[in-house]
Amino acid sequence: MRRPVLLVIAHGSRDPRHAATVHDLVRRVRSLRPGLRVETGFLDFNIPSVKGVLESLDAEGVRDVVALPLLLTRAFHAKSDIPAVLAEAPPRLRIRQAEVLGPSPLLLSALEHRLYEAGLTPADKSSTGVVLASAGSSDPEAIAVIAEIAREWRHTGWCAVRPAFASAALPRTEQAVRELRDLGCARVAVAPYVLAPGFLPDRIARGAAGADVLADVLGAAPEVARVALERYDAARVPVLAAVGA
């Protein structure tokens, strides 16, 4: 029995950096699991579309697919957009939607590595306040998850950690930076909890103007690729069980 194809589903963006980063991440996933077929589909703006990839897989005779939302929280796209697209797939395809990437301890490790790449060291943790800057969502579940991640991350040794949002919720990045300054942290760092560059990550970067350190987006960090494979493995077991593998 062949392993199910992994279909990575990204949102898509008019910003070409977004698709380039998604493809970099997918290449990283392939490098960690040689022999696993990994395809990429976009919900909007970029090609190939999710619908087009699913139709191509069906035409090739593929029958089992694990669809992985390239998302950090379980908000509108994971709950509505992606299930709707998958429901329109060719009926011969057996598809399971994997869980979104976050939260995961591996993603916290990726955030810290990005901060160290930006100039911090582990010795700086106790005197550094961190803004966990996400894209934002109108979904209260997603906002609550970001707040909980910030609380958990604070317990790993940082002076303080505050969540911030580029849209749909408060505080904004610049407000969180000021709050950490007022708290007395010796330095303030902004860690974008986003996967790829684009409009909202650029807003986060502008809001970080008053910080001492701005980390890069998570992008193709090896930890992100490992989480993707963890989500694939968790979803593929029921797929194989359903077909008697």
Side-chain angles (χ1 to χ4, degrees):
M1 175 64 63
R2 292 182 178 179
R3 289 180 290 184
V5 170
L6 170 57
L7 172 58
V8 175
I9 301 179
H11 182 271
S13 171
R14 292 186 178 91
D15 189 323
R17 298 174 298 169
H18 174 90
T21 302
V22 169
H23 291 309
D24 285 344
L25 175 58
V26 169
R27 282 191 287 271
R28 173 84 74 172
V29 172
R30 291 189 184 113
S31 72
L32 294 179
R33 188 71 61 87
L36 172 63
R37 181 172 178 180
V38 186
E39 299 291 342
T40 308
F42 295 91
L43 291 174
D44 206 353
F45 301 115
N46 303 108
I47 55 174
S49 68
V50 175
K51 180 176 183 290
V53 174
L54 291 172
E55 290 175 349
S56 295
L57 292 173
D58 177 63
E60 292 178 29
V62 171
R63 290 296 168 259
D64 295 300
V65 177
V66 169
L68 171 67
L70 203 60
L71 301 167
L72 294 173
T73 58
R74 191 173 178 273
F76 180 78
H77 293 305
K79 294 177 179 178
S80 180
D81 285 354
I82 292 175
V85 172
L86 298 180
E88 297 176 353
R92 290 178 296 183
L93 288 175
R94 292 181 289 261
I95 305 173
R96 282 190 68 89
Q97 181 176 326
E99 292 296 326
V100 298
L101 299 177
S104 168
L106 283 170
L107 296 179
L108 287 182
S109 295
L111 287 167
E112 293 204 356
H113 288 163
R114 289 297 191 228
L115 287 169
Y116 298 151
E117 289 169 355
L120 293 180
T121 70
D124 296 324
K125 291 184 72 170
S126 63
S127 58
T128 301
V130 178
V131 177
L132 179 69
S134 76
S137 172
S138 58
D139 188 313
E141 177 187 345
I143 297 302
V145 167
I146 298 299
E148 179 60 25
I149 292 170
R151 284 191 290 269
E152 291 181 2
W153 202 15
R154 162 68 181 85
H155 295 306
T156 65
W158 296 102
C159 172
V161 180
R162 295 289 186 271
F165 308 94
S167 68
L170 295 173
R172 295 287 186 258
T173 302
E174 53 269 31
Q175 295 171 302
V177 168
R178 289 195 297 270
E179 182 180 347
L180 291 171
R181 292 283 188 211
D182 293 343
L183 194 62
C185 297
R187 67 183 61 78
V188 175
V190 174
Y193 190 60
V194 293
L195 287 168
F199 177 76
L200 293 179
D202 284 349
R203 180 179 288 177
I204 290 171
R206 291 193 297 272
D212 302 294
V213 173
L214 171 62
D216 199 358
V217 299
L218 292 171
E223 297 92 344
V224 178
R226 288 168 58 195
V227 175
L229 288 171
E230 285 184 356
R231 300 293 184 256
Y232 168 79
D233 289 337
R236 72 183 284 261
V237 173
V239 171
L240 297 179
V243 296

